[in-house]
Amino acid sequence: MLRAWLILLGGGLACLSVLAARSLPGTWIWLSILATLSFTGSYAVSVAVRRTLIAAALDPGTRLRRLVTGRIGAAARAAATALATVPTLGYVAMTGARQEVLLVVIAAMSTAMALAVADRQLAGRIRAPLRLAILRPAVVLSLAAVLAPLHMWVSYAILPIPHWVAPDRLARTVADGLAALPPAPWPVAPAFQAIRAVDALMQWLLAQPALGGPLPLVLALLKGAAVQGVAANFAADAAAACLVAGRPVAGRPVAERPVAERPVAERPARHD
């Protein structure tokens, strides 16, 4: 299952992003698949972790186990994750250069493989799925910290300044950048516009050699950290959902078995 997910992740992000950037129906298909994978992956991991904690905290016979299931909190986290994932990765897929899309694919595949390897190494030491709850943020932050400077370098040194950047006027740069956005569905169109406005500011600063200073590089680094972090978190949730599939929840009550009484050897009576 994990191997199939890696194939879908690598090929799907590369192919569907090209399809999404060309037509509005393709955009709908791409964003729908992205939202579905993001929500289901995050929900599966969150509900498994929450159920494990609930099973460890509550007694097996209490009625609270029927009421507290962890589904509401898992659904809330999954919805928040999808709201952050879809606009960010959708914007990169529809407007980013090939180098940026390639970095997203590398971040996603590296995260999934690193999480699978780390989970296997720690198997038998930390209970699942709590093991994935500990490993997931560590893997995501590590890979985002490594790939964010690379993303910044690509944005600053390799990619050319977009054609809609007017070095002499910031307001015109923002307006032309918004006008150059490809058509997007209404639910994500405002998010795309907000991201493009920040991107236009960064591109305008990069086109100002007289300004100098670290501000353009800081903005490029923040953009790279956000994109790589969201891509890594998306892949980590999906890979973790595959890893926890079919595993029993730790802490489930086990039927008590009667303990066989050992025969006690009769001692001979002592005669004084």
Side-chain angles (χ1 to χ4, degrees):
M1 184 178 295
L2 181 59
R3 185 177 300 176
W5 163 248
L6 291 176
I7 296 174
L8 174 64
L9 184 64
L13 283 176
C15 299
L16 290 178
S17 61
V18 177
L19 176 65
R22 293 182 179 179
S23 63
L24 188 59
T27 304
W28 275 105
I29 296 173
W30 159 243
L31 294 178
S32 299
I33 294 176
L34 187 62
T36 303
L37 291 176
S38 177
F39 183 87
T40 55
S42 178
Y43 178 80
V45 178
S46 297
V47 76
V49 173
R50 291 174 184 271
R51 285 179 176 177
T52 302
L53 295 176
I54 291 171
L58 299 180
D59 293 331
T62 181
R63 296 182 179 179
L64 290 177
R65 292 176 64 93
R66 301 178 181 179
L67 301 177
V68 182
T69 60
R71 295 181 180 179
I72 297 178
R77 181 191 180 279
T81 302
L83 288 177
T85 300
V86 174
T88 303
L89 297 187
Y91 178 83
V92 174
M94 295 175 60
T95 65
R98 295 180 179 178
Q99 294 88 340
E100 292 178 312
V101 176
L102 179 61
L103 286 176
V104 169
V105 175
I106 291 175
M109 296 185 66
S110 301
T111 302
M113 290 186 291
L115 187 63
V117 172
D119 177 74
R120 185 174 182 179
Q121 293 296 324
L122 293 180
R125 302 178 182 178
I126 304 176
R127 291 185 177 182
L130 295 180
R131 181 169 64 247
L132 294 173
I134 299 173
L135 291 175
R136 192 171 76 251
V139 172
V140 169
L141 292 177
S142 299
L143 289 175
V146 171
L147 293 175
L150 180 60
H151 195 120
M152 177 193 69
W153 177 73
V154 169
S155 301
Y156 183 78
I158 296 181
L159 298 181
I161 300 297
H163 64 87
W164 41 264
V165 174
D168 54 338
R169 296 180 60 184
L170 176 59
R172 181 180 175 183
T173 297
V174 176
D176 292 346
L178 294 176
L181 277 174
W186 177 84
V188 296
F192 284 0
Q193 294 173 0
I195 297 174
R196 173 53 64 91
V198 177
D199 196 14
L201 174 61
M202 184 194 71
Q203 296 293 344
W204 185 82
L205 290 174
L206 291 177
Q208 304 295 319
L211 291 179
L215 183 57
L217 293 178
V218 171
L219 291 177
L221 181 62
L222 291 177
K223 176 186 175 181
V227 172
Q228 299 302 321
V230 169
N233 184 74
F234 167 67
D237 282 341
C242 295
L243 292 173
V244 301
R247 291 180 178 177
V249 178
R252 286 182 178 177
V254 181
E256 297 183 357
R257 297 179 181 178
V259 180
E261 297 182 357
R262 296 180 179 178
V264 180
E266 297 182 357
R267 297 179 179 179
R270 184 176 178 180
H271 300 282
D272 294 333

